[in-house]
Amino acid sequence: GENVEQHPSTLSVQEGDSAVIKCTYSDSASNYFPWYKQELGKGPQLIIDIRSNVGEKKDQRIAVTLNKTAKHFSLHITETQPEDSAVYFCAASGVSYGKLTFGQGTILTVHP
Amino acid sequence: SAVISQKPSRDICQRGTSLTIQCQVDSQVTMMFWYRQQPGQSLTLIATANQGSEATYESGFVIDKFPISRPNLTFSTLTVSNMSPEDSSIYLCSDSGPQETQYFGPGTRLLVL
C-alpha cells in the first residue's frame, strides 16, 4: 500500500519568513495530494491540494509543488504569520478513490 | 464544501463500555470515511462508510470492534465497542465528493479510563 513520509517533524520560523514542508510517497499510481492544517482541538482543515496533472498550484501565501518523477511534493508558506502556527499534514490518494494516506505531520511554530 | 458535525465532541468512558459517534453532513455526499488519530499522531483510515451496505474496513480494523452504519447520504455512525484505554483517540469523520476533495468534521475526543 501507499506510504507517505513527511519532513521535518517540527519547524520553527520567525514571522515573515518562509516555511517549507516536504513529503514523499511510494505508490506511483497516487494522483491526488492534499494538505491539511490542524489547530489544537479542531479537525483537519483542507488548505490546498494538487493533482498529478499539475506541477504547481498557488493560493495567496500558500503554494504546493509536485514532482511525479521523484514522487515528492512540498508545501510552501510565504510571509508566515503567528496564526499559521499549527500541525500540517500531507496526504496522498491513488487507486482507491477517496482513501487518503497521511504523513506523520509537521508542527509549525511562527514566532512573532 | 459540505459542513460536517459530530456528536459528541468529547467523552470520558469506562473500559468495557461502548460509545457511538454520530456524523452529520449538511448535504448529500458520495462517500463518508472514519479516521482515528491517536494522541500526537497522524490520521489512520478506519473504514469507508458505504450507504446501504456494509462498511469497507482497512487492515487492522474489524467490524466487531468498530461497527459502522450509514443509513442515508448525509449520516453515519461509528461505534467503538468494548473500549480499552488504547482506544483513547480523536475519531474523525470526513466526506468526499466527485472531485475527491475530502473535508473533515471537528472530531470526537475520547478518553477511556
Side-chain angles (χ1 to χ4, degrees), chain B residues 41-95:
Chain B
Q41 302 297 312
S42 186
L43 287 76
T44 301
L45 180 63
I46 297 172
T48 303
N50 301 308
Q51 193 266 327
S53 65
E54 195 170 285
T56 304
Y57 289 85
E58 297 301 309
S59 176
F61 298 96
V62 296
I63 188 171
D64 290 346
K65 177 66 176 178
F66 298 101
I68 288 170
S69 77
R70 190 179 175 191
N72 56 53
L73 292 175
T74 64
F75 185 77
S76 179
T77 66
L78 168 75
T79 299
V80 186
S81 304
N82 188 25
M83 289 183 286
S84 66
E86 292 72 35
D87 294 319
S88 298
S89 293
I90 302 171
Y91 292 87
L92 296 147
C93 70
S94 68
D95 72 7

Side-chain angles (χ1 to χ4, degrees), chain A residues 3 10 15 18-19 28 32-34 50 54 65 67 76 78 80-81 85 89 92 97 101-102 104 106 110:
Chain A
N3 183 51
T10 61
E15 182 176 4
S18 295
S28 57
Y32 175 63
F33 308 92
I50 193 167
V54 175
T65 58
N67 183 326
H76 304 253
T78 59
T80 54
Q81 302 167 3
S85 297
F89 292 98
Y97 181 92
T101 301
F102 281 82
Q104 297 87 340
T106 297
V110 181

Side-chain angles (χ1 to χ4, degrees), chain A residues 31-32 36 38-46 49 51 89-90 93-94 96-105, chain B residues 30-31 33 35 37 40-45 58 90 92 96-107 109:
Chain A
N31 55 17
Y32 175 63
Y36 291 88
Q38 187 175 29
E39 296 174 298
L40 196 62
K42 297 184 178 180
Q45 175 194 1
L46 179 68
D49 57 8
R51 300 179 192 278
F89 292 98
C90 63
S93 175
S96 298
Y97 181 92
K99 177 182 173 181
L100 292 177
T101 301
F102 281 82
Q104 297 87 340
Chain B
T30 307
M31 304 185 76
F33 305 90
Y35 288 81
Q37 187 175 25
Q41 302 297 312
S42 186
L43 287 76
T44 301
L45 180 63
E58 297 301 309
I90 302 171
L92 296 147
S96 182
Q99 298 301 317
E100 202 170 2
T101 307
Q102 201 163 138
Y103 298 96
F104 284 84
R109 283 146 184 82

